[in-house]
Amino acid sequence: MNLKNKKILQIVASILVLGAVVVVANLQKERNTPTVSTEFMMDTVIMQKLYGKRAPQAIAEIEDRLRQYEKTCSMYIENSEIDLINQNAGKKFVEVSDDTLNMIVRAKEFSVQSNGLFDITIAPLTTLWGITSESPKVPSEQQISQARTLVNYQDILIQNHQVKLKHQGQAIDLGAVAKGAVCNIIREVAQKYNITKGYVSVGGNLIVLKDTPTGSNYRFGIRDPKGDESEYIATVLLNGKTMATSGAYERWFEQDGKRYHHIINPHTGYPAETDLLSVSVISEDGMLADCLSTTFFIEGKQAALAKMQEEEYQLIVVDLQGNVFYSPSLINNLQPNEDKPYQFIAYKESSEKQ
């Protein structure tokens, strides 16, 4: 199946299941009429369901802001700010907007905190593999080794409102933070129009506003990493939060009988070899959730278990053995799907390590 047909199928599936999450129907009838919109942009499906008198205006502005974000921050759009930084790598500084600068600064901070497991200069490797392109391929060891020399977040130079990459051939790819970043934009616009009820799906990411139409809570599903798009392993309450999920099932290709997924480990240059099937991060900060879901997926189970009791975010991780570990603070919010053969563990430091 070619990439175009795959995207069409993904769009249809995403409309039905909100990308990587499944909305579990609220049994109570919604008293307010929502404004609903589904658009394809940023190479994914954006589905909005907002409540309030000014919801149509909010949805329209959200779509405008996301289109502008894509024009500014996509490495694939000619003469976007990111494309200009990449074109001028090793040559000169490029003036950028506040939004782009703030995103690069935060991404660099995450890179430091993750010891480079999260690195937005990974573009030479992602381009080399081409996993999301029409023609993905397994590069040679020499090609990977050469591309790895260009991946180093410390080579992002910032001078006032200007950004430069230190060496020619380096490139920035904001794909790993894009969806989380736009979740923060969506919340900002919703607040501007005094919209407090509803949710927006951005592919595999979700932002849920603090209130619901009936006063009862929405439940959203955690996708089954071993199932299809409509299957979920548990439901979770997300009022006022965002959720980002990373997993090897999202984008991949096969060559010579081996599957290669899209989450590249910058330290090795290859798709991450991990003991996890998926990582979901819940936080008020969409960009933080996006960065951490990628980092923990690469770093593995023990790193995620060590952070299960953080206050700034909550975790739900699925390992290769079918165990689902989750932050203890989710005990009253997480409801396992009893039809699925997973073992659920509210993990504390004193819990027996698997």
Side-chain angles (χ1 to χ4, degrees):
M1 183 182 296
N2 63 36
L3 187 61
K4 181 178 180 181
N5 289 337
K6 283 184 178 179
K7 284 186 176 179
I8 293 172
L9 291 176
Q10 288 169 354
I11 293 171
V12 174
S14 297
I15 292 172
L16 295 175
V17 302
L18 296 182
V21 296
V22 180
V23 177
V24 180
N26 191 326
L27 297 180
Q28 298 187 26
K29 185 178 180 180
E30 296 173 346
R31 293 176 293 186
N32 300 328
T33 302
T35 301
V36 179
S37 170
T38 302
E39 294 286 341
F40 187 78
M41 62 183 81
M42 295 175 56
D43 198 35
T44 193
V45 174
I46 312 292
M47 180 175 176
Q48 303 187 66
K49 188 175 185 180
L50 302 181
Y51 295 79
K53 292 182 179 179
R54 304 183 73 190
Q57 295 94 320
I59 284 178
E61 182 165 331
I62 286 169
E63 291 175 355
D64 287 343
R65 290 282 301 274
L66 298 196
R67 289 190 182 95
Q68 183 57 45
Y69 170 89
E70 185 174 24
K71 290 178 182 177
T72 302
C73 296
S74 173
M75 66 176 286
Y76 301 106
I77 294 180
E78 187 176 2
N79 294 325
S80 72
E81 291 181 357
I82 297 302
D83 180 54
L84 291 175
I85 292 171
N86 295 344
Q87 287 184 38
N88 290 283
K91 301 175 185 177
K92 65 179 182 179
F93 281 88
V94 173
E95 190 85 17
V96 297
S97 62
D98 288 343
D99 287 345
T100 301
L101 180 65
N102 292 337
M103 195 176 312
I104 291 174
V105 168
R106 287 204 71 195
K108 192 171 181 180
E109 291 172 354
F110 288 129
S111 297
V112 173
Q113 294 166 12
S114 69
N115 193 31
L117 280 179
F118 177 88
D119 194 329
I120 59 171
T121 65
I122 199 168
L125 282 169
T126 57
T127 302
L128 180 65
W129 282 86
I131 294 176
T132 60
S133 73
E134 292 279 2
S135 304
K137 63 182 184 304
V138 180
S140 68
E141 290 187 15
Q142 182 179 4
Q143 289 174 316
I144 291 172
S145 179
Q146 290 175 343
R148 281 180 58 204
T149 64
L150 298 172
V151 179
N152 188 343
Y153 64 89
Q154 296 182 38
D155 291 337
I156 302 173
L157 308 179
I158 299 172
Q159 180 177 288
N160 298 320
H161 261 68
Q162 296 182 318
V163 178
K164 175 186 174 183
L165 290 166
K166 191 173 182 178
H167 303 292
Q168 195 165 354
Q170 291 187 307
I172 288 174
D173 181 356
L174 293 177
V177 298
K179 295 175 184 177
V182 301
C183 282
N184 292 344
I185 292 173
I186 291 165
R187 179 182 284 112
E188 175 188 326
V189 175
Q191 290 172 345
K192 173 182 175 181
Y193 288 93
N194 198 29
I195 303 297
T196 63
K197 302 174 183 178
Y199 52 83
V200 180
S201 167
V202 185
N205 292 51
L206 184 73
I207 174 169
V208 183
L209 303 182
K210 64 180 181 179
D211 298 325
T212 56
T214 61
S216 59
N217 293 317
Y218 281 123
R219 283 191 170 273
F220 296 86
I222 307 296
R223 178 173 167 177
D224 184 349
K226 295 181 179 180
D228 62 31
E229 292 94 339
S230 64
E231 297 181 65
Y232 63 96
I233 61 173
T235 61
V236 63
L237 304 181
L238 292 174
N239 291 39
K241 299 291 183 69
T242 67
M243 181 169 69
T245 299
S246 293
Y249 58 83
E250 295 175 290
R251 298 183 181 186
W252 51 271
F253 74 99
E254 286 188 2
Q255 182 171 318
D256 299 327
K258 183 174 180 178
R259 178 179 292 194
Y260 299 89
H261 62 79
H262 74 294
I263 304 176
I264 305 293
N265 183 337
H267 293 178
T268 66
Y270 286 85
E273 294 188 5
T274 180
D275 52 4
L276 296 176
L277 291 174
S278 71
V279 176
S280 295
V281 180
I282 299 169
S283 174
E284 291 184 6
D285 185 343
M287 191 169 173
L288 174 67
D290 228 1
C291 293
L292 290 180
S293 67
T294 300
T295 301
F296 285 132
F297 182 82
I298 295 173
E299 201 167 8
K301 182 168 75 173
Q302 291 307 318
L305 294 181
K307 297 293 185 178
M308 279 285 172
Q309 300 187 67
E310 294 293 309
E311 294 184 3
E312 196 174 3
Y313 56 87
Q314 298 161 309
L315 297 174
I316 303 169
V317 300
V318 185
D319 71 10
L320 297 177
Q321 289 72 43
N323 299 304
V324 181
F325 298 93
Y326 61 95
S327 297
S329 56
L330 289 173
I331 286 177
N332 295 324
N333 292 348
L334 190 76
Q335 182 177 325
N337 181 352
E338 296 180 356
D339 294 331
K340 292 290 183 177
Y342 290 90
Q343 180 181 4
F344 287 79
I345 304 165
Y347 187 84
K348 299 180 181 180
E349 290 184 10
S350 59
S351 298
E352 180 181 357
K353 294 184 178 181
Q354 302 298 312

